[in-house]
Amino acid sequence: MAAAEENTSMFLIFILTMIALPLVPYTIMRLCRAASEKAKTIHCRCSGCHRSGKYRKSIYKRISNFSTCSNLTIILLWIVMIFLVYYIKHASREVQVFEPFSILGLEPGASESEIKKSYRRLSIQYHPDKNPDPEAHNFFVEYISKAYQALTDPVSRENYEKYGHPDGRQGLQMGIALPKFLLNIDGASGGIMLLGIVGFCILLPLMIAVIYLSRSSKYTGNYVMHQTLSTYYYFMKPSLAPSKVMDVFIKAAEYMEMPVRRSDDEPLQKLFVAVRSELNLDLKNIKTEQAKFWKQHPSLVKMELLIQAHLTRESFVLTPALLKDYRHMLELAPRLLEELVKIAVLPRNPHGFGWLRPATGVIELSQNIIQAVPLSARKASGGNSEGIAPFLQLPYFTEATVKKIARKKIRAFQELCDMSVEDRAALLTQVAGLSEDQARDVDLVLEMIPSIEVDIKCETEGEEGIQEGDVVTMYAWVSLHRRNGLIAALPHCPNFPFHKEENFWLLLADAASNDVWLSQKVSFMDEATAITAASKAIQETQEALGASAKEIGIAVREAVDKVKKGSRLVMGKFQAPAEGTHNLTSFCLCDSWIGCDTKTSFKLKVLKRSRAGTRGHVPEEGVVAAAEDGIEEEEEEEEEEYDDYESEYSDDEEDEKNKGKGKGKVANGAAHQEADSDIDSGSDE
C-alpha cells in the first residue's frame, strides 16, 4: 500500500514538473513584456484621445483586456500547480517511514527492559482485549507488535540499527511515476495505458503539427494571408497613382472573406450617399458611375464604403453589424498597409529597384486612415501643396477653421507649428474661435508631432571613391525630436480605435525614374533593440576597416549616445550604377502623422571602373569592397521642396492636363490601361 501511494505521489510530481517547466519561464516572459509595454506606452494627453477610451483604464476594460484565453489558461495551470503542491505535501506526510523506536515512544538505543516496559504499557492501551476500537486493533497489529518484534530479536535489531531495516541491507528499488491502476496490465488497465501513450506521444504532437502547418501555409509571419500578398503583387503597378491605391488595398483576402449580409444593403445605400463625394465618381456621368460602382464585388463595395465612412468620420451612422465589420477592418489595416508598402518597394526591374510612386501613395493612405482625414483634403489649395489634411488631424479643426486662420496668412501647417505658444493661443482663441481648453489641446497635439532629420553617407568600405559595380554601403542616422522631449510615443489618433505605434519608412530613391534603391522601416519605440543593433553594426564595420579595440569602443559609445538621444542607425547596401552623377533623394515618411515627412537630396558621384574587383555581388569575406564618401549634399530652396515628391492629387491633376498630348502614345497606353482595368474588374467579379 505504501509503495502504491509512493508511486501515485511520484506520478503527481512528474505531472507537476511537466507543467512547471514551460509555465514558469513563459509566465516570466509575459510579465516582462507587459512591464516593458507599460513603460513605453506614452500616449497623447488631449481630451479627444481621453474620450476615445483607448487609454482609459476602467475596471471593465482591465478585466476584458486581462480575460484572454492565454491569460485564463495561465491562471488555470497555476491553480493546478498549487493544488498539486499541496496534495503532494499532504500525501508525503501520510506515508510514514517504519520507525520502531518512535512507535514505542523510545529514544534510539534504548535497553531491552525499556522496550518491554513500553510494550506492556502500549498493550494495555491498544490491545484488542482492552480496547475494542478497530483502529486501535489495527495500530496494535500493524505497528506496535512489529516494532516490538523488530527490537527484541537480536538479529533484527542489529540489522535495523546498521541498515535501517529489520531484514538487513535492502537492494535498490526502482519504480515508475504512474498510478497503480495503470501499472496493472491485466484487464482494461493495459488498454488505458496504451491509449494514453498513443494519445500523448503520437496523436497530440501530430495534431499540433497539423494545426501549425495549416496556419503557416495560410498566413505569413506578420499574420497576413499569402493570398493577400499574391493579390497585392499582381495589382501593384509602377505608375499606380496614389489616389488609386485604395482600389488595391481593399482587395485583401481578409477583407474579401468578411460576410456580406442582405441586411447591410439599406445601410450601405445610405452610407454611399453620405460619402459619394469621396469616391472619385465622374459627376458628368453620375448614373453610369454609380451603376458601375455597385456592380463591383459586394465585399469591395462594402470595404470601400466602410473606409470612406472612417475617413469622413461618418461611422456613427453604421448599424451594430456594420460597426463590428468596421472595427475589424480598421484592426487589420495597419499590417495590411505595411505589407502593401513592402510589395511596392520590392525589387522588380532589371536593376533591382522598387517603385517610389505607389510606395508614397500607400504611406499617404496609411496616414489618412490613422488620422481619419479624407483623401480629398490632400488636394493643393490656396498655394499650399499639402492641402488642409495636416490641419484636420488636429482636434477641433475643420475646413472652416483652416479658412479662418488663412486670413492671418497661416496657410502652411509648418507655419502654425513654428509660432510661439502665446501667438498660437491668440490665433486659435481670437481668430479660429476655439476656447482656451481647446487651444491647450491643440498645443498638446502639436508637441507630440515628431520632427525628423536624416543624415546620410554612402561609401565603399576600404576604398577611395565609388566606382561602377562597387557594393556601396549607406549609413543613415534618422533623428527624431518632439517639442515635449519624448522619443517613444503613440500618435494622436482619437478616431482610430486601436493602439498604433509610430513607424517611419526610409526610402533612398531616384524620384525622376521612380526607382527605390533602398527601403527600411524605422521604429523609435524599442531603445534597447536599437542600441544592440547599432552597436553590432558599428563594431562589425570598424573591425572590417582594421580599427583597434580602443577605436571600436569609442565608435560604439558614440553610437549608443546617439541612440539614447533619439537617433536610429539605418544601414543598407546597393550596387553602384553606371558612371555619372546621380541625383538621389532620401524620403523619411511617417505612417501615422500627416505633414511631418522629410526628404534630403544629394548627389552620388560614381567614377569609371579603374580598379580590379568583383562586380555585381557583395564581396566575400576577406575581399575589400570599396570606397569612401561620394556624396555632396545640396540644399534646395523651399519652393522646390515638392518638385519630386508631391501628394497624390497633384500627380493626378498633372496627368489630367497631359491627357491630350502625344495622342498616338496615349492611345496605346490607354489601350493597355483599359486591358488592365478589364482584368481588374473581371477578377473583382
Side-chain angles (χ1 to χ4, degrees):
M1 181 177 180
E5 292 179 352
E6 185 176 358
N7 282 338
T8 301
S9 63
M10 290 297 295
F11 173 70
L12 296 178
I13 293 174
F14 172 74
I15 296 297
L16 177 64
T17 305
M18 296 302 294
I19 294 175
L21 281 176
L23 182 61
V24 172
Y26 182 72
T27 304
I28 294 174
M29 181 190 70
R30 289 290 298 271
L31 291 175
C32 294
R33 184 184 300 172
S36 62
E37 289 178 356
K38 183 177 180 181
K40 72 181 182 182
T41 304
I42 303 173
H43 55 81
C44 180
R45 302 291 180 179
C46 73
S47 58
C49 290
H50 179 72
R51 285 194 303 269
S52 68
K54 288 188 295 183
Y55 313 113
R56 194 179 304 155
K57 298 181 180 179
S58 62
I59 296 177
Y60 173 76
K61 192 165 185 179
R62 289 173 186 267
I63 294 174
S64 61
N65 290 338
F66 182 78
S67 302
T68 60
C69 293
S70 59
N71 289 341
L72 294 178
T73 303
I74 291 174
I75 293 175
L76 180 62
L77 290 176
W78 274 105
I79 292 174
V80 172
M81 280 185 58
I82 294 172
F83 174 77
L84 288 176
V85 170
Y86 173 79
Y87 184 82
I88 291 170
K89 187 176 180 181
H90 183 70
S92 63
R93 288 179 179 177
E94 292 181 349
V95 181
Q96 298 179 357
V97 182
F98 183 72
E99 294 284 351
F101 287 106
S102 177
I103 293 172
L104 297 177
L106 300 173
E107 296 292 333
S111 62
E112 187 174 349
S113 60
E114 291 176 341
I115 294 172
K116 292 180 179 180
K117 183 178 180 181
S118 178
Y119 176 71
R120 293 193 198 98
R121 178 174 55 80
L122 293 174
S123 297
I124 295 173
Q125 185 177 356
Y126 292 101
H127 197 277
D129 296 339
K130 304 292 183 180
N131 191 340
D133 188 0
E135 293 185 0
H137 173 69
N138 292 334
F139 183 72
F140 180 80
V141 174
E142 294 292 336
Y143 291 95
I144 297 176
S145 297
K146 289 184 178 181
Y148 178 72
Q149 292 175 2
L151 295 179
T152 53
D153 182 49
V155 177
S156 299
R157 181 170 180 175
E158 182 181 358
N159 289 334
Y160 172 75
E161 292 178 349
K162 191 173 182 180
Y163 303 109
H165 197 278
D167 296 333
R169 186 192 297 274
Q170 300 295 303
L172 178 64
Q173 295 184 355
M174 299 184 66
I176 184 170
L178 290 175
K180 183 180 179 181
F181 73 92
L182 289 179
L183 296 177
N184 184 13
I185 306 301
D186 299 334
S189 299
I192 295 174
M193 188 173 183
L194 179 63
L195 183 63
I197 293 174
V198 172
F200 188 78
C201 299
I202 300 177
L203 296 182
L204 181 61
L206 184 62
M207 182 177 64
I208 295 174
V210 169
I211 294 174
Y212 173 77
L213 292 176
S214 62
R215 182 173 179 83
S216 61
S217 63
K218 189 176 181 181
Y219 291 91
T220 65
N222 199 20
Y223 300 103
V224 175
M225 297 177 66
H226 287 288
Q227 185 180 351
T228 298
L229 299 185
S230 301
T231 303
Y232 284 170
Y233 186 87
Y234 176 78
F235 286 104
M236 184 63 64
K237 308 295 180 185
S239 59
L240 183 68
S243 59
K244 303 297 183 183
V245 170
M246 175 82 74
D247 299 335
V248 179
F249 170 64
I250 61 177
K251 288 182 172 67
E254 289 85 348
Y255 290 160
M256 300 296 290
E257 290 183 352
M258 293 181 68
V260 179
R261 299 171 287 269
R262 290 184 178 272
S263 59
D264 295 338
D265 292 343
E266 184 177 351
L268 289 177
Q269 290 281 355
K270 295 180 180 179
L271 185 59
F272 173 80
V273 175
V275 302
R276 181 168 51 188
S277 60
E278 295 291 329
L279 296 176
N280 294 326
L281 302 180
D282 187 3
L283 298 179
K284 296 179 181 179
N285 302 313
I286 188 64
K287 292 185 178 180
T288 305
E289 291 289 319
Q290 289 182 6
K292 184 178 179 181
F293 177 81
W294 289 105
K295 283 182 180 179
Q296 297 182 97
H297 193 284
S299 296
L300 297 178
V301 173
K302 180 178 180 179
M303 285 300 105
E304 185 165 2
L305 290 177
L306 290 180
I307 292 177
Q308 293 296 350
H310 174 68
L311 297 179
T312 56
R313 305 181 185 181
E314 296 284 345
S315 59
F316 59 89
V317 302
L318 299 178
T319 62
L322 283 177
L323 190 61
K324 183 179 179 181
D325 296 337
Y326 164 81
R327 289 181 59 87
H328 184 55
M329 177 269 297
L330 291 180
E331 185 179 11
L332 297 175
R335 71 178 76 138
L336 293 177
L337 289 167
E338 181 179 337
E339 294 300 321
L340 192 54
V341 174
K342 293 178 181 178
I343 294 294
V345 299
L346 190 68
R348 301 203 188 199
N349 60 27
H351 299 287
F353 297 148
W355 298 326
L356 176 63
R357 195 181 188 197
T360 55
V362 175
I363 298 173
E364 284 184 355
L365 177 60
S366 175
Q367 295 172 356
N368 284 69
I369 289 178
I370 299 303
Q371 296 297 337
V373 173
L375 294 174
S376 60
R378 287 187 177 271
K379 288 183 179 179
S381 60
N384 185 6
S385 59
E386 294 179 336
I388 63 172
F391 292 98
L392 296 183
Q393 68 186 338
L394 300 177
Y396 315 112
F397 264 67
T398 61
E399 188 174 352
T401 309
V402 178
K403 290 180 179 179
K404 289 179 182 179
I405 65 174
R407 297 170 189 168
K408 296 296 182 180
K409 308 300 182 183
I410 304 297
R411 294 186 176 89
F413 183 67
Q414 192 60 41
E415 294 176 356
L416 180 66
C417 296
D418 293 339
M419 294 179 68
S420 64
V421 177
E422 295 79 10
D423 294 342
R424 186 164 53 239
L427 176 71
L428 296 177
T429 54
Q430 299 174 13
V431 178
L434 302 183
S435 65
E436 292 183 359
D437 291 338
Q438 291 174 341
R440 194 177 300 112
D441 281 345
V442 173
D443 280 335
L444 288 175
V445 175
L446 290 175
E447 290 177 354
M448 292 286 294
I449 295 179
S451 175
I452 300 296
E453 296 178 0
V454 181
D455 181 19
I456 288 188
K457 180 177 67 174
C458 292
E459 62 181 20
T460 308
E461 297 178 1
E463 297 289 347
E464 293 184 0
I466 298 175
Q467 298 184 4
E468 296 178 287
D470 285 348
V471 177
V472 183
T473 303
M474 180 198 73
Y475 300 91
W477 280 101
V478 183
S479 303
L480 180 145
H481 305 282
R482 302 182 204 269
R483 291 178 175 84
N484 57 10
L486 296 176
I487 297 175
L490 300 178
H492 162 82
C493 49
N495 297 288
F496 191 79
F498 301 99
H499 286 255
K500 175 67 177 70
E501 294 184 356
E502 292 177 343
N503 290 310
F504 298 84
W505 286 91
L506 182 66
L507 308 178
L508 180 64
D510 185 349
S513 62
N514 193 36
D515 292 334
V516 176
W517 294 24
L518 283 176
S519 64
Q520 187 166 331
K521 187 176 76 169
V522 184
S523 175
F524 290 84
M525 299 301 295
D526 194 348
E527 183 181 280
T529 303
I531 289 175
T532 303
S535 302
K536 183 178 179 182
I538 295 297
Q539 182 176 354
E540 291 177 352
T541 302
Q542 294 294 322
E543 288 177 351
L545 296 175
S548 62
K550 184 178 180 180
E551 293 173 342
I552 294 175
I554 294 173
V556 169
R557 283 194 295 271
E558 291 177 353
V560 171
D561 291 339
K562 283 187 176 181
V563 172
K564 291 181 177 179
K565 291 178 181 178
S567 298
R568 298 292 183 266
L569 176 61
V570 180
M571 293 181 60
K573 294 180 182 292
F574 62 91
Q575 184 178 353
E579 177 189 4
T581 301
H582 301 268
N583 296 318
L584 301 181
T585 306
S586 67
F587 297 90
C588 190
L589 311 176
C590 181
D591 67 349
S592 303
W593 293 98
I594 304 175
C596 69
D597 301 334
T598 60
K599 71 173 187 176
T600 305
S601 298
F602 60 90
K603 293 181 179 180
L604 180 68
K605 289 186 177 180
V606 180
L607 306 176
K608 187 176 181 180
R609 193 77 186 174
S610 62
R611 57 173 174 262
T614 305
R615 300 180 58 183
H617 66 279
V618 179
E620 296 179 355
E621 217 174 334
V623 180
V624 180
E628 277 188 14
D629 190 2
I631 299 194
E632 291 181 1
E633 299 207 8
E634 64 174 3
E635 298 181 355
E636 295 186 341
E637 304 213 355
E638 189 174 353
E639 59 270 13
E640 297 176 349
E641 185 173 354
Y642 296 93
D643 287 348
D644 296 330
Y645 165 55
E646 296 180 351
S647 182
E648 48 182 91
Y649 287 95
S650 58
D651 287 338
D652 297 339
E653 290 168 1
E654 290 181 4
D655 294 342
E656 293 292 334
K657 293 179 182 178
N658 296 329
K659 275 186 176 179
K661 298 180 180 180
K663 291 185 178 179
K665 295 181 180 178
V666 172
N668 189 17
H672 289 291
Q673 193 170 8
E674 288 179 5
D676 290 340
S677 63
D678 291 340
I679 294 173
D680 295 353
S681 61
S683 60
D684 293 344
E685 301 200 3

